[in-house]
Every structure is written in structure tokens, then in C-alpha cells.
Amino acid sequence: MTPLLEVRGVDKSFGPVQVLHDVNFQAHAGEVTALVGDNGAGKSTLVKCIGGIHPIDSGDMLFDGAPVHVHGPRDAGELGIEIVYQDLALCDNLDIVQNMFLGRERRSGLVLDEATMEELAEQTLSGLSVRTVKSIRQQVSSLSGGQRQTVAIAKAVLWNSKVVILDEPTAALGVAQTAQVLELVRRLADTGLAVVLISHNMNDVFAVSDRIAALYLGRMAAQVKTADVTHAQVVELITAGRSGDLGLKNGVTP
Amino acid sequence: MSKVKELPGEAQVEAVRQPSIGHSVRAYTERVRSGDMGALPAVLGLIVLCTAFAIARPSFLTAINFANLFTQGAAITVIAMGLVFVLLLGEIDLSAGFTSGVCAAVLAVLVTNMGMPWYVGVLAAILTGTVIGSVLGTLVAKVGIPSFVVTLAAFLAFQGLVLVLVHEGTNISINDPVIKAIAQKNLPPALGWALYAGCVAIYALVQIVRARKRAARGLVADPLSLIAARVGSLAVIGGAAVYALNLERSFNPAFASLKGVPIVVPIIVALLVLWTFVLRRTGFGRHLYAVGGNAEAARRAGIGVDRIKVSAFMICSSMAAVGGIIAASRASSVDPNTGGSSVLLYAVGAAVIGGTSLFGGKGRVLDAVLGGAVIAVIDNGMALMQYGASVKYLVTGFVLLLAAGVDAIARKRASAAGLR
């Protein structure tokens, strides 16, 4: 099966510091791919390269098997790649519908088409089986952290995205809310999207992911099926870049 | 691993399908409790102040004094309406008072000194305001100077500009009958009633049509009882006001009759409707709230934050120009003090007392009208009590501080409630 999103041999430097070395990464439709790695391993940089925020120095990017060039966030958006950032970027003083359509409001003539936006927002949320909000006209300031994450994710889904990248969606959440968001992440993949989940939390990774890609000091240590590895192996990949037969040989990709 | 087992998430709730009026009342009390008081302090303040002044000075309740309240508060209310736009972004325009002075001086110079027709003067004054706003907005948004500093500098500079325009302190009188009529003449009583009936009917129609359309699409619509309550309260309050303003208020009616709704009232209502529409129903208004709530989120959503900021300052200064025209009309003259002394602080006070937040993201144009009414009542009532300027300033300063305090505490409570 062709991966929906694939990057090959990506290098990226910021001045004299090379952050990504020859990184290969794949994300398949209908699967959750966990992207793990220690602080500074290059997870965020890789995601920002995919999202068009940083240009890549060399390497290829393929979307649905065809080579593509992403020169900015707009290009990524047009391909159907949406990134949900850790700091959510929601306006507290607006309600859920207003936030989901922010910057892309539906209009009929001069005025905003509130009814259509409300309908579409409701369809999207119920399509994701989100039933934890009382009213979609609720202000975001009155939502819990988990509900906010849900709104941010639903916002990414609203635009017919094909790839949704989530940057540590559960980092600031409690136990119940984490469960709620992970359930949503799983549902996204089940509806056929390619989901990339950046996480530090091994429990989360093993709870929802189908594949795990481990970065170590800017190199892709291994990309494996979640079912084939153990908790301890993944931790070794993150901290040492290798685990038994898996991972880097002498610090380089085999 | 394709399905996560059902983990206990947050309590799942049924979406509200058919809200009753009781539901709306509960939702409102919940909002007030969580710190979003909206217009409540202004309305309560108005009731308390009016009762106190009416008891202390029965002349407060006379028809002539009631009409005076509108003409006294009009200029400040209009300037405050413009300030709401800037305050929504979390910025401030300290020069709005003297902007109104400069624009009034432009009007006076054109109409009185150069003999231009009134509409040329009015257009030039408003255009001057727009240009001033675009300069202030550009300095804030593009250059990045804090609005506090930019407008404080403009506050001083415009004071000088007014002096230049009125030739170092002369007083330019305004004799044009149309401009004088704005704040000094009244509508014929019949026209007042007709406008009132039209406003209530249109408001009712808009509310019912919207509810019908939403209900037809299966969305949550306001219940008829709530709409009836809204329209009914507008009809009662508006009707009482028009009735009172249509009472004879001349001391000698045989000599000169004085009754009817002051012309500034429909002007304020029209501006209120226009700007409320812009803020609540257009994409520009939505983006303004978004920038005020979280500028970074707005930027990531593809909104031109700088453009929104410059537009807000342009609207603010243009409205200040309209306020200046009303002030010039009321005084029949423009002097170096037009738009000076307490005008700016009264206008900021009006917006904040009405419920517009100084922290941005929260506020309505209606706030300016409610707050303007509170300021006008204080100003007027204190004068009737024969307190001097000293006590007036002290009381108004205290009220402004109180309103800002309520705003700050409400914000704290709201963020505490948000983190539940």
C-alpha cells in the first residue's frame, strides 16, 4: 500500500546546526502513526517541514505517491495537511462554531451565513461522535482542556483534510480528558485519515497508534508496527537510538 | 489495534434541542455568576442613580431635564461607540477627545470662515477623522508603537492642532442652521412616534424571521416567548422615552413650543444599529473580536491582523469626528477646549461602564450607549445638586475606577470558571 504521505531523505539545517539527517517518514491513510523522540530529536522540525513552515534543504516529499513541493502553510493546506499545534490557537471569546470557521467564514452576500456554519460544524462534530459539549454556541472560554483540544481537532477535520498532525494533544490534559482525546484520534484514523500523533507519553502511543516512528538526534531510528514492539524497546529507541536489531547502527541509519 | 475500548471520558451531555425562556434565564444567570456581567452593572447603576437624584432633586424628573440628558450625553456616547472598536482589540485611543476637537474645528473653519455648505463641512470633518485614525492605526499596527504612547502623543499634538485651526484661542461660532439643528432641534412629535413604531416593527420582524429560518433548518432557535419579551421591553422603554420627549417642555408654550425627540437621538440609534450590524453580522466584525481575543490565533487563521487594527482606529477617529460635530452643534461654537478636559475620560468611562473590557475581546456598541447614559446622568444630576466641578470630577473618576475594577474582577472570575 502506498503511504498517503511520505518524506524521503530529508535534511534540514538551521545555520550551522543540522537538525534533520536523511529522515524517511511515512504516514498511511486510516492509521495513526506516532512520532516519538526525546526533546530536541527533531519531531517539531519534521512536522513544520511537512506543514510548509520551514523549507527543507534536500529530500523529497510524496503525497499519495506523487512528488509534491510545499512552499508554505497554504500549499500544505491545499494538499489537505492540517497541523493542530500544542497551543491550540483558539479565541476564548468566540464560540465553537465561530472558532471552527475562523478566517474561512461562510458568507451570503455581506452578512455571515451563521446557519450554514452551525450546520456544518454540528455535522463535523457528530461525525466525530463528539457528544461532550452542551451547545456548539458555547464560548470556548467555558470549555475544558479536553473539549478545547476536541474543537481544535474538529477544526482541522472540517476542511476535508487528508492528513492531520497533532502536536502533543494530551500534554496538558487530565486522565479522563486524555482518554476522550485519544478516542477522537482513533476515530479520525478510522474515518480514513492519516493521523500523525506526536507524543511523549508511551501509554498514549501504545493505546492508539498503529505504527511508531522514533527519531533520535535528528535521525529516524526506526519506523515499526506498534504490535511488533514492546514498551521497553520504544523507550530504548528514543533514548539510545537503538534496541537489539532495531535502530541505528553506529549512530547512522542502516 | 483498530478500536480503543470505550474509556470513561467526560460526562456526555445531550445537546440542547428546544430551549425555553426559562433556559435562557438560567443561561444568563450562569453567565453573570461566571463573571460575564455584560450590561448589568450599567443598568443597575442607572436605576440607582436616577432614583437617588429623583429623590434629592425632583427637578431631575422633569421633561426638560430628561431631554437635556440626551443632548448632554450625545457627543460622549458617539465618541465612546468608536472607542469600543479600539478597546475590543485591547488597545486604547487617548486622543479621541482632541480628535473630535480637531474635526469640529475643521468643520467650523470650513462652514463659518470659508462659507462652505454644511454637508461639505461635515464630510470634511469625518474625513479628517478617518485620516487621523489611519495614521494612528498605522503607527500602532505597522510600526509597533504601543497605542497608549501613540495616542498620548497625538493627545498633545491635536491640542496644538486645534489651537492652530482656531488661530490661537479665538472662538469660532457656528451659525449654519442645519448643523445647529443636530443637537438643538427636535423632531416633530408625530415623526418621533412614526420612527419609534418603525424601529420596533423592524426589530420584531428581524427577530422573528431569523428564528423561523433557524427553526426551518432544524437549528436551535430562540423561543417565541423570548422574542416577545425582547420586543416588548424595547417597545415599553422606547415608548415611554418618546412619550416623555414629546411632552411640552417650554416654560411659555404660547411663545415658543418646545417638544419632540431631539434630532441626536435618531442619529445615535442609527449609528448603534449600523455598528452593531458590522460587529455581529459581518466577517470584519468577527475578525475584530478574534484579534481582540487571541491575535496569534487570528493570524494563524489567515486574518490580516494589521489591517483589522488600522480599520479599528479609523472607525474610532471617524466616530470621534461625528462626536465633535455634535459637540460643536450643541455649543454653537468651536473653541480650543472643544473635545478637551473631561471628554476623553468620560467617553472611555462610558464604554467601560457599559461593559466593554479594557483587556480586549469583549464589548458591544450598545455598551457605549448605556455607559454614556450613566455618565450623562451623573453629570446632569450633580449639576442639579449644585455640586461644583470638583465633586463631579471626583465622582466620575471614582465611577470609572469602579467600572474598570468590575471589569478586572469579572475577567479573573471568568478565567477561574474557564479552568474548571
Side-chain angles (χ1 to χ4, degrees):
Chain A
M1 193 174 79
T2 355
L4 183 59
L5 175 77
E6 183 171 10
V7 293
R8 287 184 192 157
V10 167
D11 288 324
K12 174 72 196 169
S13 307
F14 293 111
V17 185
Q18 189 163 2
V19 185
L20 297 177
H21 302 264
D22 192 24
V23 168
N24 296 328
F25 175 74
Q26 302 173 338
H28 295 265
E31 291 189 352
V32 177
T33 308
L35 183 58
V36 298
D38 215 339
N39 289 339
K43 304 183 297 287
S44 297
T45 308
L46 177 59
V47 163
K48 283 177 180 165
C49 288
I50 294 171
I53 292 171
H54 298 320
I56 53 178
D57 295 343
S58 64
D60 301 311
M61 186 165 158
L62 290 90
F63 195 82
D64 216 358
V68 288
H69 296 281
V70 174
H71 297 292
R74 202 171 287 265
D75 291 349
E78 272 167 24
L79 285 172
I81 301 172
E82 288 282 340
I83 303 180
V84 179
Y85 292 100
Q86 208 170 354
D87 54 342
L88 297 187
L90 297 174
C91 291
D92 269 0
N93 58 335
L94 299 182
D95 66 31
I96 295 175
V97 180
Q98 291 170 342
N99 263 296
M100 285 175 70
F101 279 88
L102 191 61
R104 300 187 255 199
E105 289 87 1
R106 294 291 171 100
R107 280 160 222 220
S108 58
L110 191 66
V111 293
L112 295 171
D113 189 353
E114 297 285 354
T116 304
M117 288 196 276
E118 202 169 317
E119 271 177 0
L120 286 170
E122 196 163 313
Q123 277 168 21
T124 306
L125 286 171
S126 63
L128 294 170
S129 313
V130 174
R131 285 185 302 272
T132 52
V133 290
K134 211 188 312 178
S135 156
I136 54 173
R137 283 298 180 189
Q138 222 174 325
Q139 274 203 358
V140 165
S141 61
S142 69
L143 299 181
S144 68
Q147 289 171 326
R148 281 161 195 250
Q149 195 73 50
T150 305
V151 172
I153 294 171
K155 183 181 178 181
V157 174
L158 186 63
W159 305 101
N160 291 322
S161 321
K162 301 196 179 87
V163 178
V164 175
I165 301 173
L166 305 160
D167 191 358
E168 303 228 21
T170 60
L173 302 183
V175 177
Q177 294 177 345
T178 299
Q180 178 197 336
V181 168
L182 289 180
E183 217 178 299
L184 177 60
V185 169
R186 190 61 246 170
R187 273 199 296 269
L188 286 184
D190 290 346
T191 56
L193 275 72
V195 181
V196 178
L197 174 73
I198 298 182
S199 184
H200 267 125
N201 186 323
M202 283 308 116
N203 291 328
D204 292 3
V205 169
F206 276 89
V208 292
S209 71
D210 301 288
R211 287 167 201 269
I212 298 174
L215 277 168
Y216 176 71
L217 298 178
R219 293 171 202 277
M220 187 57 75
Q223 186 156 6
V224 293
K225 289 204 164 176
T226 308
D228 297 344
V229 289
T230 63
H231 215 293
Q233 279 177 304
V234 177
V235 172
E236 273 184 292
L237 283 171
I238 293 171
T239 53
R242 52 179 300 174
S243 169
D245 298 339
L246 288 169
L248 305 169
K249 302 279 182 270
N250 303 322
V252 293
T253 319
Chain B
M1 128 130 28
S2 69
K3 189 82 191 121
V4 173
K5 65 178 194 295
E6 280 292 316
L7 291 163
E10 276 178 53
Q12 304 196 335
V13 282
E14 271 306 303
V16 183
R17 274 277 130 235
Q18 213 43 58
S20 63
I21 193 158
H23 179 86
S24 312
V25 172
R26 270 198 303 281
Y28 180 76
T29 43
E30 208 165 283
R31 272 219 314 280
V32 170
R33 278 216 192 130
S34 69
D36 179 11
M37 303 223 234
L40 196 62
V43 172
L44 289 181
L46 261 186
I47 293 170
V48 170
L49 284 168
C50 288
T51 316
F53 285 134
I55 292 168
R57 283 286 178 281
S59 60
F60 180 81
L61 277 188
T62 54
I64 186 157
N65 197 49
F66 185 60
N68 277 345
L69 281 176
F70 287 90
T71 46
Q72 283 169 355
I76 282 166
T77 302
V78 170
I79 298 172
M81 282 180 175
L83 275 168
V84 166
F85 284 78
V86 171
L87 291 175
L88 270 178
L89 298 179
E91 308 280 356
I92 186 120
D93 184 356
L94 296 174
S95 66
F98 274 111
T99 300
S100 79
V102 168
C103 298
V106 166
L107 172 85
V109 168
L110 285 177
V111 174
T112 304
N113 294 6
M114 300 171 73
M116 301 268 198
W118 66 271
Y119 47 86
V120 174
V122 167
L123 272 181
I126 295 176
L127 203 66
T128 308
T130 314
V131 171
I132 288 174
S134 66
V135 172
L136 295 177
T138 307
L139 288 172
V140 172
K142 305 274 187 196
V143 183
I145 313 172
S147 59
F148 173 74
V149 178
V150 170
T151 58
L152 193 61
F155 169 81
L156 203 63
F158 291 163
Q159 213 166 337
L161 201 53
V162 178
L163 279 173
V164 170
L165 287 167
V166 301
H167 301 293
E168 302 295 335
T170 53
N171 173 332
I172 307 179
S173 63
I174 288 182
N175 304 315
D176 187 276
V178 178
I179 291 176
K180 277 170 82 170
I182 295 172
Q184 295 183 13
K185 289 282 186 293
N186 307 300
L187 297 175
L191 185 57
W193 282 117
L195 281 179
Y196 157 77
C199 283
V200 174
I202 290 171
Y203 181 67
L205 201 68
V206 167
Q207 292 267 318
I208 291 170
V209 167
R210 186 184 304 148
R212 279 275 170 80
K213 270 193 183 158
R214 289 180 61 90
R217 297 179 75 158
L219 297 169
V220 179
D222 289 336
L224 211 58
S225 49
L226 183 64
I227 293 175
R230 281 195 200 131
V231 175
S233 44
L234 176 75
V236 169
I237 295 169
V242 174
Y243 173 77
L245 289 170
N246 276 345
L247 293 174
E248 182 59 60
R249 41 182 195 266
S250 169
F251 294 114
N252 188 354
F255 174 65
S257 175
L258 183 65
K259 59 182 175 183
V261 177
I263 291 174
V264 286
V265 174
I267 293 179
I268 289 179
V269 171
L271 289 170
L272 172 66
V273 171
L274 168 74
W275 293 124
T276 303
F277 173 81
V278 167
L279 275 186
R280 306 218 64 94
R281 297 273 161 251
T282 68
F284 170 74
R286 178 66 40 83
H287 294 170
L288 202 82
Y289 279 104
V291 173
N294 187 344
E296 178 57 21
R299 200 181 59 74
R300 285 193 206 166
I303 294 168
V305 173
D306 290 355
R307 192 179 58 83
I308 297 282
K309 278 192 183 172
V310 175
S311 319
F313 275 94
M314 285 167 76
I315 291 171
C316 178
S317 298
S318 305
M319 287 297 282
V322 177
I325 294 168
I326 294 173
S329 164
R330 179 155 182 269
S332 296
S333 72
V334 174
D335 61 48
N337 222 5
T338 305
S341 70
S342 56
V343 170
L344 171 80
L345 282 182
Y346 274 12
V348 174
V352 175
I353 290 167
T356 295
S357 174
L358 287 167
F359 302 98
K362 184 167 132 311
R364 299 171 303 169
V365 184
L366 181 64
D367 295 343
V369 177
L370 292 171
V374 173
I375 294 277
V377 166
I378 294 177
D379 206 41
N380 174 293
M382 301 292 274
L384 286 182
M385 308 271 284
Q386 277 151 6
Y387 287 120
S390 54
V391 179
K392 245 201 263 186
Y393 285 154
L394 281 169
V395 170
T396 316
F398 175 73
V399 170
L400 174 56
L401 211 54
L402 193 69
V406 168
D407 175 31
I409 291 167
R411 193 180 145 85
K412 264 192 187 167
R413 286 191 71 157
S415 69
L419 286 175
R420 258 179 313 189

